[in-house]
């Protein structure tokens, strides 16, 4: 794996966000009875629903190389988003804005960086891939693809999503229908993992 630059953590946190590195990964396994494949028609219905939300909270990133945290605000309106990060290891405020086909990252340390998608932006800036588009669905307790494996609680809320090499654990406050905490884990060949913890304080 390539050495991470000093600006990598802000980009990881952005959208926050995740790391899909250059290695090959093995998917975590659940007992067969706990895994519920997502029906294609269910995912299709969920994906045509409006992606509209406003989040505030804190995100922490831990990799075998480094760790850190940041506060975030995230405005999502269909395919348009505006994410602001602050308190990232002294880097200062980082702004990520965009829509389908055009994404911009701006900070005092890096200036403006442009790309066609959030994933491409992270790859160009840090050399890493990240399931940012998936995260838009995950914070709404929805799978992003028809191939996702789901685990639900007694209230039929999704508590775990296994999708595209990521194991996402969702936690809820009492009888809330939307999660207030997500833990994203990605197993590495070395036996270690990339981990992102996202705490949503306000919706």
């Amino acid at each position: 794996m390539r050495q991470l630059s000093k600006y990598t953590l802000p980009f990881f946190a952005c959208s926050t966000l995740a790391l899909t590195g250059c290695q090959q990964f093995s998917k975590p396994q659940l007992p067969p009875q706990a895994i519920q494949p997502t029906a294609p028609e269910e995912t299709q219905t969920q994906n045509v629903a409006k992606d509209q939300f406003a989040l505030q909270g804190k995100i922490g990133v831990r990799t075998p190389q480094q760790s850190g945290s940041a506060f975030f605000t995230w405005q999502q309106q269909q395919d348009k988003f505006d994410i602001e990060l602050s308190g990232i290891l002294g880097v200062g405020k980082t702004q990520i804005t965009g829509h389908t086909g055009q994404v911009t990252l701006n900070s005092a340390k890096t200036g403006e960086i442009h790309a066609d998608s959030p994933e491409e932006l992270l790859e160009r800036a840090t050399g890493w891939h990240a399931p940012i588009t998936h995260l838009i669905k995950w914070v709404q307790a929805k799978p992003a693809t028809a191939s996702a494996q789901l685990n639900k609680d007694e209230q039929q809320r999704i508590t775990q999503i296994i999708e595209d090499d990521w194991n996402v654990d969702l936690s809820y406050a009492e009888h809330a229908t939307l999660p207030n905490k997500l833990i994203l884990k990605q197993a590495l060949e070395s036996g270690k993992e990339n981990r992102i913890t996202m705490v949503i304080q306000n919706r």
Side-chain angles (χ1 to χ4, degrees):
M1 185 194 322
R2 69 186 68 187
Q3 189 69 26
L4 304 184
S5 74
K6 63 181 178 180
Y7 302 123
T8 299
L9 186 59
F11 296 114
F12 283 161
C14 75
S15 346
T16 263
L17 339 104
L19 310 158
T20 305
C22 358
Q23 309 94 337
Q24 296 294 320
F25 307 103
S26 59
K27 295 186 179 180
Q29 298 297 318
L30 284 179
Q33 66 272 20
I35 297 175
Q36 304 179 23
T38 306
E41 60 272 17
E42 178 183 350
T43 300
Q44 182 177 7
T45 300
Q46 292 171 332
N47 287 344
V48 298
K50 291 183 178 180
D51 290 322
Q52 182 173 332
F53 54 79
L55 307 177
Q56 289 182 321
K58 188 174 183 180
I59 186 164
V61 176
R62 188 177 71 199
T63 76
Q65 290 76 27
Q66 63 183 119
S67 63
S69 62
F71 294 98
F72 72 88
T73 61
W74 183 350
Q75 300 281 339
Q76 185 79 30
Q77 181 71 37
Q78 298 291 62
D79 69 332
K80 297 179 181 179
F81 63 86
D82 187 333
I83 300 168
E84 182 177 306
L85 302 167
S86 60
I88 311 171
L89 298 180
V91 173
K93 185 173 74 172
T94 299
Q95 196 83 20
I96 305 102
T97 58
H99 55 80
T100 301
Q102 183 176 350
V103 184
T104 300
L105 182 148
N106 192 7
S107 77
K109 294 290 185 179
T110 65
E112 283 193 357
I113 302 176
H114 302 275
D116 294 335
S117 69
E119 289 79 7
E120 182 185 350
L121 179 64
L122 286 185
E123 183 176 8
R124 287 176 54 189
T126 69
W128 292 77
H129 302 281
I132 298 172
T133 303
H134 284 9
L135 192 59
I136 294 173
K137 296 296 182 182
W138 293 344
V139 298
Q140 302 177 80
K142 301 175 183 177
T145 68
S147 62
Q149 295 176 314
L150 308 178
N151 193 16
K152 298 182 179 181
D153 63 13
E154 294 179 353
Q155 300 179 49
Q156 293 305 300
R157 299 177 301 189
I158 294 176
T159 57
Q160 188 174 57
I161 301 173
I162 299 177
E163 190 168 16
D164 290 345
D165 297 321
W166 286 93
N167 187 330
V168 185
D169 294 324
L170 297 84
S171 301
Y172 300 79
E174 297 182 348
H175 300 294
T177 57
L178 293 174
N180 63 351
K181 184 176 182 180
L182 294 87
I183 299 178
L184 287 66
K185 293 174 288 187
Q186 184 186 57
L188 305 178
E189 285 185 332
S190 62
K192 298 181 180 180
E193 68 177 10
N194 292 323
R195 179 185 290 247
I196 297 172
T197 302
M198 186 175 188
V199 177
I200 301 171
Q201 297 167 332
N202 292 298
R203 284 187 178 268

